[in-house]
Amino acid sequence: RKEVEQDPGPFNVPEGATVAFNCTYSNSASQSFFWYRQDCRKEPKLLMSVYSSGNEDGRFTAQLNRASQYISLLIRDSKLSDSATYLCVVNGGYSTLTFGKGTMLLVSP
Amino acid sequence: DVKVTQSSRYLVKRTGEKVFLECVQDMDHENMFWYRQDPGLGLRLIYFSYDVKMKEKGDIPEGYSVSREKKERFSLILESASTNQTSMYLCASSSGAGNTEAFFGQGTRLTVV
């Protein structure tokens, strides 16, 4: 069974903190990796793709370690609006995506 | 703006009823998916389609079927609804070979009583 594992949290952090989420995946043949964000009672939306060399988008940095089958997301200078569930996503066969169960982040004032 | 539209936000059905959940996308995407999301279980793939009239089983297809007669429309059918099918159902679409973003509909909260 191809799986994606995440710590469910919740991670409770103050505004301005740096927080990191980790994810492991079991399908060594996976080629595409993503982080999605899901707000309460809303649909998931793409936060960022994850590239082999690592990539950054503003306060967000994603890293991929293929050898360890490990993906990470780092959020710097957390904002209240970052409170959400973060889903680690890995592509499977036939263009499908396998989702982790998500990590909940709560940023407090 | 890209759009995936699900026909209902909330639905209440009786046990044994046949239920249709409709999804339409306006992005000319080849791939369409149906997921269900439950607390503690995350998103689980029910069925997907990579072309008109093509369908493939996902991880939990039992009790469901799908139809894709037109490229833009992907329907999920619960042949005989049961209480354990009470869930949030999410439709998604994507283009190409799996390394592209999937766009989700707003979800249908189905309650089977």
Side-chain angles (χ1 to χ4, degrees):
Chain A
R1 180 178 174 82
K2 301 179 176 63
E3 291 185 345
V4 177
E5 301 287 342
Q6 296 181 250
D7 181 342
F11 283 55
N12 288 281
V13 302
E15 270 186 296
T18 295
V19 61
F21 305 137
N22 303 317
C23 161
T24 58
Y25 61 94
S26 62
N27 183 2
S28 59
S30 295
Q31 295 296 318
S32 302
F33 310 89
F34 310 90
W35 284 100
Y36 276 67
R37 171 192 168 129
Q38 186 172 23
D39 294 305
C40 189
R41 296 192 178 88
K42 297 281 192 177
E43 72 273 22
K45 292 185 178 178
L46 180 69
L47 176 66
M48 60 194 301
S49 300
V50 185
Y51 302 118
S52 296
S53 55
N55 49 298
E56 189 173 305
D57 183 2
R59 297 182 293 110
F60 300 84
T61 301
Q63 297 279 353
L64 169 65
N65 184 323
R66 285 187 187 272
S68 301
Q69 296 181 203
Y70 171 95
I71 306 162
S72 65
L73 177 68
L74 182 78
I75 305 175
R76 292 180 299 278
D77 188 23
S78 298
K79 311 291 185 190
L80 295 176
S81 57
D82 293 335
S83 296
T85 296
Y86 291 84
L87 303 168
C88 178
V89 185
V90 174
N91 87 304
Y94 285 109
S95 306
T96 63
L97 297 175
T98 301
F99 286 77
K101 295 176 183 177
T103 299
M104 182 181 290
L105 172 65
L106 300 171
V107 182
S108 54
Chain B
D1 202 11
V2 297
K3 209 161 186 183
V4 179
T5 304
Q6 295 182 228
S7 52
S8 305
R9 288 296 302 273
Y10 300 94
L11 215 50
V12 179
K13 295 292 181 181
R14 295 193 181 279
T15 300
E17 274 193 81
K18 190 168 185 176
V19 181
F20 292 86
L21 301 183
E22 306 286 346
C23 175
V24 177
Q25 51 98 0
D26 64 1
M27 296 164 282
D28 201 34
H29 282 168
E30 293 83 4
N31 307 314
M32 295 190 75
F33 311 88
W34 276 105
Y35 290 87
R36 63 178 283 179
Q37 187 173 30
D38 301 286
L41 297 177
L43 278 96
R44 293 178 292 166
L45 181 64
I46 304 170
Y47 265 97
F48 64 99
S49 168
Y50 52 90
D51 201 353
V52 176
K53 297 193 186 296
M54 304 301 290
K55 59 184 179 184
E56 295 287 341
K57 293 179 180 179
D59 297 320
I60 51 163
E62 296 78 19
Y64 303 95
S65 62
V66 290
S67 173
R68 193 164 180 203
E69 295 297 317
K70 293 185 177 182
K71 190 175 185 180
E72 67 271 19
R73 187 179 296 269
F74 192 36
S75 303
L76 180 70
I77 304 152
L78 286 66
E79 297 291 342
S80 178
S82 63
T83 54
N84 64 12
Q85 293 178 310
T86 292
S87 186
M88 170 67 80
Y89 289 87
L90 288 157
C91 174
S93 73
S94 72
S95 65
N99 58 351
T100 57
E101 179 179 0
F103 295 86
F104 282 84
Q106 77 277 29
T108 297
R109 169 71 62 185
L110 172 67
T111 302
V112 183
V113 298

Coordinates of all heavy atoms in Angstrom, one line a residue, chain A residues 1 32 34 36 38 41 43-44 46 87 91 94-97 99-101, chain B residues 31 33 35 37 40-41 45 48 96-102 104-106:
Chain A
R1 N 0.9 -1.2 0.0 CA 0.0 0.0 0.0 C 0.9 1.2 0.0 O 1.8 1.4 0.8 CB -0.9 0.0 1.2 CG -1.8 1.2 1.3 CD -2.7 1.0 2.6 NE -3.5 2.2 2.8 CZ -4.6 2.5 2.1 NH1 -5.1 1.6 1.3 NH2 -5.3 3.6 2.4
S32 N 6.5 13.3 -8.3 CA 6.0 14.7 -8.0 C 5.6 14.8 -6.6 O 4.9 13.9 -6.1 CB 4.9 15.0 -9.0 OG 5.3 14.9 -10.3
F34 N 4.1 17.7 -3.5 CA 3.4 18.9 -3.3 C 3.1 19.1 -1.8 O 2.9 18.2 -1.0 CB 2.1 19.0 -4.1 CG 2.2 18.5 -5.5 CD1 2.0 17.2 -5.9 CD2 2.4 19.5 -6.5 CE1 2.1 16.8 -7.2 CE2 2.5 19.1 -7.8 CZ 2.3 17.8 -8.2
Y36 N -0.2 21.0 0.0 CA -1.5 21.6 -0.1 C -1.9 22.2 1.2 O -1.5 21.7 2.3 CB -2.6 20.6 -0.6 CG -2.6 20.4 -2.1 CD1 -1.6 19.7 -2.7 CD2 -3.7 20.8 -2.8 CE1 -1.6 19.5 -4.1 CE2 -3.8 20.6 -4.2 CZ -2.7 20.0 -4.8 OH -2.8 19.7 -6.2
Q38 N -5.3 23.3 3.5 CA -6.8 23.2 3.6 C -7.3 24.0 4.8 O -6.9 23.7 6.0 CB -7.2 21.7 3.7 CG -8.7 21.6 3.7 CD -9.2 20.1 3.6 OE1 -8.4 19.2 4.0 NE2 -10.4 19.9 3.1
R41 N -13.3 23.6 6.8 CA -14.5 23.5 5.9 C -14.3 24.0 4.5 O -15.3 24.4 3.8 CB -15.7 24.2 6.6 CG -16.1 23.6 7.9 CD -17.4 24.2 8.4 NE -17.8 23.6 9.7 CZ -17.5 24.1 10.9 NH1 -16.7 25.1 11.0 NH2 -17.9 23.5 11.9
E43 N -12.0 23.5 0.6 CA -11.3 22.5 -0.2 C -9.8 22.7 -0.1 O -9.3 23.8 0.1 CB -11.8 22.5 -1.6 CG -11.3 23.7 -2.4 CD -12.2 24.9 -2.3 OE1 -13.0 25.0 -1.3 OE2 -12.2 25.8 -3.2
P44 N -9.0 21.6 -0.3 CA -7.6 21.8 -0.4 C -7.1 22.6 -1.6 O -7.8 22.6 -2.7 CB -7.0 20.3 -0.6 CG -8.2 19.5 -0.2 CD -9.4 20.2 -0.5
L46 N -3.4 24.1 -3.6 CA -2.0 24.0 -3.8 C -1.3 25.1 -3.1 O -1.5 26.3 -3.3 CB -1.6 23.9 -5.2 CG -0.1 23.8 -5.5 CD1 0.4 22.4 -5.0 CD2 0.2 24.0 -7.0
L87 N -1.3 19.6 4.0 CA -1.3 18.2 3.4 C -0.1 17.9 2.6 O 0.2 18.7 1.6 CB -2.6 18.0 2.6 CG -3.9 18.3 3.3 CD1 -5.1 18.4 2.2 CD2 -4.3 17.2 4.3
N91 N 2.6 12.0 -5.9 CA 1.9 11.4 -7.0 C 2.0 9.9 -7.0 O 3.1 9.4 -6.7 CB 2.3 12.0 -8.4 CG 3.5 11.4 -9.0 OD1 4.5 11.3 -8.3 ND2 3.3 10.9 -10.2
Y94 N -1.0 6.7 -12.8 CA -2.1 7.2 -13.5 C -2.5 8.6 -13.1 O -3.7 8.9 -13.1 CB -3.4 6.3 -13.3 CG -3.3 5.0 -14.1 CD1 -3.2 3.8 -13.4 CD2 -3.5 5.0 -15.4 CE1 -3.2 2.6 -14.0 CE2 -3.5 3.7 -16.1 CZ -3.3 2.6 -15.4 OH -3.3 1.4 -16.1
S95 N -1.5 9.4 -12.9 CA -1.8 10.8 -12.6 C -2.6 11.0 -11.2 O -3.1 12.1 -11.0 CB -2.6 11.5 -13.7 OG -2.0 11.3 -14.9
T96 N -2.6 10.0 -10.4 CA -3.3 10.2 -9.1 C -2.4 10.8 -8.1 O -1.2 10.8 -8.2 CB -3.8 8.8 -8.6 OG1 -2.7 8.0 -8.3 CG2 -4.7 8.1 -9.6
L97 N -3.0 11.4 -7.1 CA -2.3 12.0 -6.0 C -2.7 11.3 -4.7 O -3.8 11.0 -4.5 CB -2.6 13.5 -5.9 CG -2.3 14.4 -7.0 CD1 -2.8 15.8 -6.8 CD2 -0.7 14.4 -7.2
F99 N -2.6 11.6 -0.7 CA -2.6 12.6 0.3 C -2.2 12.1 1.7 O -2.7 11.0 2.1 CB -4.0 13.3 0.4 CG -4.3 14.2 -0.7 CD1 -4.7 13.7 -1.9 CD2 -4.2 15.6 -0.5 CE1 -5.0 14.6 -3.0 CE2 -4.5 16.5 -1.6 CZ -4.9 15.9 -2.8
G100 N -1.4 12.8 2.4 CA -1.2 12.5 3.8 C -2.5 13.0 4.6 O -3.3 13.7 4.0
K101 N -2.6 12.6 5.8 CA -3.8 13.0 6.6 C -3.8 14.4 7.1 O -4.8 14.9 7.6 CB -4.0 12.0 7.8 CG -4.2 10.6 7.3 CD -4.3 9.6 8.5 CE -4.5 8.2 8.0 NZ -4.5 7.2 9.1
Chain B
N31 N -7.9 14.7 -16.5 CA -8.0 13.8 -15.3 C -9.1 14.4 -14.4 O -9.1 15.6 -14.1 CB -6.7 13.7 -14.5 CG -5.6 13.3 -15.4 OD1 -5.6 12.4 -16.2 ND2 -4.4 14.0 -15.3
F33 N -11.2 13.3 -10.5 CA -11.1 12.4 -9.4 C -12.2 12.6 -8.4 O -12.7 13.7 -8.3 CB -9.8 12.7 -8.6 CG -8.5 12.8 -9.4 CD1 -8.2 14.0 -10.0 CD2 -7.7 11.7 -9.6 CE1 -7.0 14.1 -10.8 CE2 -6.5 11.8 -10.3 CZ -6.2 13.0 -10.9
Y35 N -12.7 12.0 -4.3 CA -12.2 11.6 -3.0 C -13.3 11.7 -2.0 O -14.2 12.5 -2.1 CB -11.1 12.6 -2.6 CG -9.8 12.5 -3.4 CD1 -9.6 13.2 -4.5 CD2 -8.7 11.7 -2.9 CE1 -8.4 13.2 -5.2 CE2 -7.5 11.7 -3.6 CZ -7.4 12.4 -4.8 OH -6.2 12.4 -5.5
Q37 N -13.4 12.5 2.3 CA -12.5 13.0 3.4 C -13.3 12.8 4.7 O -14.4 13.3 4.9 CB -12.1 14.4 3.3 CG -11.1 14.9 4.3 CD -10.6 16.3 4.0 OE1 -11.3 17.1 3.4 NE2 -9.4 16.6 4.4
G40 N -9.6 12.0 10.8 CA -8.7 11.0 11.1 C -8.2 10.1 10.0 O -7.3 9.3 10.2
L41 N -8.9 10.1 8.9 CA -8.6 9.2 7.7 C -8.0 10.0 6.5 O -7.5 9.4 5.6 CB -9.8 8.4 7.3 CG -10.3 7.5 8.4 CD1 -11.6 6.8 7.9 CD2 -9.3 6.4 8.8
L45 N -8.9 8.2 -2.2 CA -9.4 8.2 -3.6 C -10.4 7.1 -3.8 O -10.1 5.9 -3.5 CB -8.2 8.0 -4.5 CG -8.4 8.0 -6.0 CD1 -9.0 9.4 -6.4 CD2 -7.2 7.7 -6.7
F48 N -11.2 7.5 -10.3 CA -10.6 8.5 -11.1 C -10.8 8.2 -12.6 O -11.1 7.0 -12.9 CB -9.2 8.9 -10.8 CG -8.2 7.8 -11.1 CD1 -7.5 7.7 -12.3 CD2 -8.0 6.7 -10.2 CE1 -6.5 6.7 -12.5 CE2 -7.1 5.7 -10.4 CZ -6.4 5.7 -11.6
G96 N -2.6 16.6 -17.7 CA -1.4 16.0 -17.9 C -1.1 14.8 -17.1 O -1.9 14.0 -16.7
A97 N 0.2 14.6 -16.8 CA 0.7 13.3 -16.3 C 0.9 13.2 -14.8 O 1.7 12.4 -14.4 CB 2.0 13.0 -17.1
G98 N 0.3 14.0 -14.1 CA 0.4 13.8 -12.6 C 1.3 14.7 -11.9 O 1.4 14.6 -10.7
N99 N 2.1 15.5 -12.7 CA 3.0 16.4 -12.0 C 2.4 17.8 -12.0 O 3.2 18.8 -11.9 CB 4.4 16.4 -12.6 CG 4.3 16.7 -14.1 OD1 3.2 16.8 -14.7 ND2 5.5 16.9 -14.7
T100 N 1.1 17.9 -12.1 CA 0.5 19.2 -12.2 C -0.5 19.3 -11.0 O -1.0 18.4 -10.4 CB -0.2 19.4 -13.5 OG1 -1.2 18.3 -13.7 CG2 0.7 19.4 -14.7
E101 N -0.9 20.6 -10.8 CA -1.8 20.9 -9.7 C -3.1 20.3 -9.9 O -3.7 20.3 -11.0 CB -1.9 22.4 -9.6 CG -2.8 22.9 -8.5 CD -2.9 24.4 -8.5 OE1 -2.2 25.1 -9.3 OE2 -3.6 25.0 -7.7
A102 N -3.7 19.8 -8.8 CA -5.1 19.3 -8.9 C -6.0 20.4 -8.3 O -5.6 21.0 -7.2 CB -5.3 18.0 -8.1
F104 N -9.7 21.5 -6.8 CA -10.8 20.9 -6.1 C -12.1 21.7 -6.2 O -12.0 22.9 -6.2 CB -10.4 20.7 -4.6 CG -9.5 19.5 -4.4 CD1 -8.2 19.7 -4.5 CD2 -10.0 18.3 -4.0 CE1 -7.3 18.6 -4.3 CE2 -9.2 17.2 -3.8 CZ -7.8 17.3 -3.9
G105 N -13.2 21.0 -6.2 CA -14.5 21.6 -6.0 C -14.6 21.9 -4.5 O -13.8 21.6 -3.6
Q106 N -15.7 22.6 -4.2 CA -15.9 23.0 -2.8 C -16.4 21.9 -1.8 O -16.4 22.1 -0.6 CB -17.0 24.2 -2.8 CG -18.4 23.8 -2.9 CD -18.8 23.5 -4.4 OE1 -18.0 23.2 -5.2 NE2 -20.1 23.8 -4.6

